[in-house]
Amino acid sequence: MTSTPGPQRDVILAVDIGGTKFAAGLMTARGVLLDRSRVEVEPDVGPQSHFAGLVSVVNEQLEQARTQHDVRVRAIGIGCAGPIERNCETVSPLNISSWRQFPLRAHLEELTGLPVYGDLDAKALALSEGWLGAAQGVSSFCAMTVSTGVGGGLVIDGELLDGATGNAGHIGHMIVEPGGRRCGCGARGCLEAEASGLAIEAITGRSPTEPTYDIMRRTGRLVGRAAGMICTSLDLDLVVVGGGVALGFAATFFNAAQEEIDAVAHVGQGVAARITPVRLGDQGPLIGAGAVGLRGLRREVSPRRPVPISAELLDGPS
Amino acid sequence: MTSTPGPQRDVILAVDIGGTKFAAGLMTARGVLLDRSRVEVEPDVGPQSHFAGLVSVVNEQLEQARTQHDVRVRAIGIGCAGPIERNCETVSPLNISSWRQFPLRAHLEELTGLPVYGDLDAKALALSEGWLGAAQGVSSFCAMTVSTGVGGGLVIDGELLDGATGNAGHIGHMIVEPGGRRCGCGARGCLEAEASGLAIEAITGRSPTEPTYDIMRRTGRLVGRAAGMICTSLDLDLVVVGGGVALGFAATFFNAAQEEIDAVAHVGQGVAARITPVRLGDQGPLIGAGAVGLRGLRREVSPRRPVPISAELLDGPS
């Protein structure tokens, strides 16, 4: 499109690393996706072949930025399946077996010369749903993905919680069945060991795409139990849930989850907590990745320095 | 003491409302208690008689401030047994049956003409232990009291978490035994329904001051389970525990709690979470109450406005 030349718009190159596909897109500062492309992850190839697949979609979008949209790419934002090290310095997505501590951030920076910011996909989802989705305008909430695994992100007073190692919001390891199934993490009865897609397949012998009514209800109940505990302990009243398992189980899942939350959270306090599906659909992961990029840029400008409590208090009267 | 006259030091009048006693003290901005007095709560008297007991210790400390310490009382800070409404507008401590929605803040303001700031005792404890106690210098941690009831407070990035209704940190209602004992809150299997002093008495028929080895271990395990879930979901590595039951059960309790945390939290992530007793002893509640007062004053000067996530993000590039 050739229009009157003006100041170039800034965009974020958003990159979504899922277990089965890579996607890239161009996102404006208002969260509009101008363009996107995706590629399937080829199974059983080496780490550099995987990276070559990612390079193809990234370069395609950089080309689109230059030739089709007349925008300036300011940074790359990544949402990545876990586990990752902080800022995607290294990534080891469970479903991409050849990427183990793969130095993704440095590789993308070297490829593009752009600043690169990365985070867990579930935390990226929390950013996107809080910005433009089901938690828009809500300053504190919990976001979860219930899919092959179970992940989550917590937004408190408008800030996505990172925690000491960047893993805050890891709701998949709440204990929902004490003494229950052994989890990949080593504990027993974790939500992820009882309600993830992999767990459902192991427990029922059926793919989570062919669920029984009972398994949809049970999965909802267990997710509701963990979500309810989060709502009570953090005094939240909104949980936004995405991921193929949750969305596939649909109303049966969400109704069971809501019933369990009503049974365990804020009982008698009169503040009902609500569980609701994500609203950004298939744009959510890329918008979330873009939001990770925006957040990274913002922090470069005004770093947020957590301080121990004493310093804060002593700002008081002396 | 008459020394060279100089600029008067500012202090906070700290007020601790427990289930069985009221205490008041004078705390400097550095957390030193210059003076304190306490009075037992008389059972079975009316709300104004209870308040008269509180007035006696408050007036005693105001008098001490004037005549003995030459300090200026800038504000009152309260730590109060729950439940309370935000800022102690009303308080309904479980063990003071004649105070139900008693308008404590207004009464104390009317009595003294001072600004009054109040919060839950467990949140006050989190402030004091983070400031000068076992969590000193730690920017994110969890504090708990395990006593007649079970309460808690969460400090994240140096800020005590309030939550939507001021009840964040309410760890007593984590579900540690799904389907377990009915809790006062209406849910089943809450930590408070399984591990509080009242619960222990109901389950064992013995006072928690005469525990068996098994009940000390079980209580520790259940507290560790809730603490472990908090550590995992918020990516914390320190839990500070006070309260008569926990401290009375001593090493037997803390060892069992640590074992359970090791079994459920951060397993395989290599970040061990630690549970440890409070360090401020019997000064903790008053220092916590004083910290609530300091925090209130600080917020008057620079209010902290939680914003929805969009506004934060849009501070980024445009």
Side-chain angles (χ1 to χ4, degrees):
Chain A
M1 215 174 74
T2 49
S3 57
T4 320
Q8 270 193 324
R9 261 201 299 184
D10 288 333
V11 297
I12 303 287
L13 177 62
V15 172
D16 171 38
I17 313 275
T20 58
K21 56 137 192 36
F22 297 139
L26 302 173
M27 191 196 79
T28 72
R30 299 199 167 272
V32 176
L33 281 179
L34 301 177
D35 209 320
R36 54 175 164 161
S37 29
R38 57 182 282 169
V39 62
E40 301 299 310
V41 172
E42 290 178 66
D44 304 323
V45 298
Q48 290 303 329
S49 296
H50 275 307
F51 188 65
L54 181 58
V55 168
S56 71
V57 289
V58 166
N59 279 339
E60 198 171 305
Q61 289 297 309
L62 288 173
E63 179 73 13
Q64 290 291 97
R66 208 166 34 242
T67 60
Q68 301 296 314
H69 303 288
D70 192 30
V71 292
R72 183 174 55 164
V73 177
R74 284 282 304 270
I76 293 180
I78 312 168
C80 187
I84 66 170
E85 281 181 83
R86 199 188 277 274
N87 211 25
C88 289
E89 286 302 338
T90 76
V91 306
S92 315
L94 281 184
N95 283 14
I96 305 179
S97 56
S98 76
W99 275 7
R100 286 295 168 267
Q101 280 157 357
F102 181 76
L104 181 61
R105 198 201 58 74
H107 271 61
L108 279 176
E109 187 180 89
E110 200 177 315
L111 176 73
T112 63
L114 291 165
V116 178
Y117 307 99
D119 214 327
L120 289 164
D121 50 1
K123 287 170 69 186
L125 183 83
L127 284 180
S128 64
E129 289 292 321
W131 187 18
L132 299 164
Q136 193 174 12
V138 179
S139 60
S140 300
F141 64 94
C142 171
M144 295 177 70
T145 52
V146 183
S147 135
T148 312
V150 176
L154 293 164
V155 173
I156 306 289
D157 293 342
E159 281 284 346
L160 180 65
L161 207 61
D162 285 318
T165 66
N167 284 295
H170 216 332
I171 291 157
H173 300 284
M174 304 281 284
I175 309 296
V176 293
E177 291 282 19
R181 285 190 80 229
R182 180 73 71 184
C183 182
C185 80
R188 284 191 176 277
C190 292
L191 180 60
E192 183 158 285
E194 300 283 350
S196 66
L198 287 176
I200 290 169
E201 196 150 349
I203 294 169
T204 64
R206 296 160 68 107
S207 158
T209 58
E210 298 164 354
T212 62
Y213 178 78
D214 284 349
I215 200 71
M216 291 192 284
R217 294 267 316 164
R218 175 177 189 271
T219 306
R221 265 199 318 275
L222 296 174
V223 168
R225 185 171 302 161
M229 285 196 266
I230 288 291
C231 287
T232 302
S233 56
L234 300 180
D235 196 6
L236 304 176
D237 52 21
L238 180 64
V239 180
V240 178
V241 182
V245 169
L247 299 178
F249 292 3
T252 308
F253 168 92
F254 281 97
N255 291 342
Q258 185 67 59
E259 285 166 29
E260 183 77 6
I261 289 182
D262 293 343
V264 303
H266 296 317
V267 185
Q269 278 188 48
V271 185
R274 193 165 53 89
I275 191 163
T276 187
V278 291
R279 206 165 63 197
L280 294 176
D282 74 341
Q283 296 202 344
L286 277 178
I287 293 175
V292 169
L294 273 179
R295 183 180 189 239
L297 278 181
R298 171 167 63 84
R299 288 193 165 182
E300 293 282 314
V301 178
S302 57
R304 177 164 150 275
R305 266 181 290 270
V307 289
I309 207 162
S310 55
E312 293 260 325
L313 275 172
L314 289 172
D315 285 341
S318 61
Chain B
M1 214 174 73
T2 49
S3 58
T4 319
Q8 270 193 323
R9 259 199 303 181
D10 288 331
V11 298
I12 303 287
L13 177 62
V15 172
D16 172 37
I17 312 274
T20 58
K21 56 137 192 38
F22 297 138
L26 302 173
M27 191 196 79
T28 72
R30 298 200 168 272
V32 176
L33 281 179
L34 301 178
D35 209 320
R36 54 173 163 161
S37 27
R38 58 180 281 168
V39 62
E40 300 300 310
V41 172
E42 291 179 64
D44 305 324
V45 297
Q48 289 305 330
S49 298
H50 275 308
F51 188 64
L54 182 58
V55 168
S56 70
V57 288
V58 166
N59 279 340
E60 197 172 306
Q61 289 298 308
L62 288 173
E63 179 72 13
Q64 289 292 95
R66 208 165 33 241
T67 61
Q68 300 295 315
H69 302 288
D70 192 31
V71 292
R72 184 175 55 166
V73 177
R74 284 282 303 271
I76 294 180
I78 312 168
C80 187
I84 66 169
E85 282 181 81
R86 198 187 278 273
N87 211 24
C88 290
E89 286 302 338
T90 76
V91 306
S92 316
L94 280 185
N95 283 13
I96 306 180
S97 57
S98 76
W99 275 7
R100 285 297 168 266
Q101 279 157 359
F102 181 76
L104 181 62
R105 199 200 58 74
H107 270 62
L108 279 176
E109 187 180 87
E110 201 178 313
L111 176 73
T112 63
L114 291 164
V116 178
Y117 308 98
D119 214 326
L120 289 164
D121 49 2
K123 289 169 69 186
L125 183 84
L127 284 180
S128 63
E129 289 292 322
W131 188 18
L132 299 165
Q136 192 173 12
V138 178
S139 60
S140 300
F141 64 94
C142 171
M144 294 177 70
T145 53
V146 183
S147 144
T148 313
V150 176
L154 293 164
V155 172
I156 305 290
D157 293 341
E159 281 284 346
L160 179 65
L161 207 60
D162 285 318
T165 67
N167 284 294
H170 216 332
I171 291 157
H173 300 283
M174 304 281 285
I175 308 295
V176 294
E177 289 284 17
R181 285 189 79 229
R182 180 73 72 183
C183 181
C185 80
R188 283 190 176 278
C190 293
L191 180 60
E192 183 159 283
E194 301 282 351
S196 66
L198 286 176
I200 290 169
E201 195 150 350
I203 294 169
T204 65
R206 296 161 67 108
S207 158
T209 58
E210 297 164 353
T212 62
Y213 178 78
D214 284 349
I215 200 71
M216 291 191 284
R217 295 266 315 163
R218 175 176 189 270
T219 305
R221 266 200 316 275
L222 296 175
V223 168
R225 186 172 300 160
M229 285 196 265
I230 288 290
C231 287
T232 303
S233 56
L234 300 180
D235 195 7
L236 304 176
D237 52 21
L238 180 63
V239 180
V240 178
V241 182
V245 169
L247 300 178
F249 292 3
T252 309
F253 168 92
F254 282 96
N255 290 341
Q258 185 66 60
E259 284 166 28
E260 182 77 7
I261 289 182
D262 292 344
V264 303
H266 297 315
V267 185
Q269 279 189 45
V271 185
R274 193 165 53 89
I275 191 164
T276 187
V278 291
R279 206 165 60 195
L280 293 177
D282 74 342
Q283 295 202 344
L286 277 178
I287 294 175
V292 169
L294 274 179
R295 182 180 190 237
L297 279 180
R298 171 167 63 86
R299 288 192 166 183
E300 293 282 313
V301 178
S302 58
R304 180 163 147 274
R305 266 180 290 270
V307 288
I309 207 160
S310 53
E312 293 261 326
L313 274 172
L314 290 171
D315 284 342
S318 60

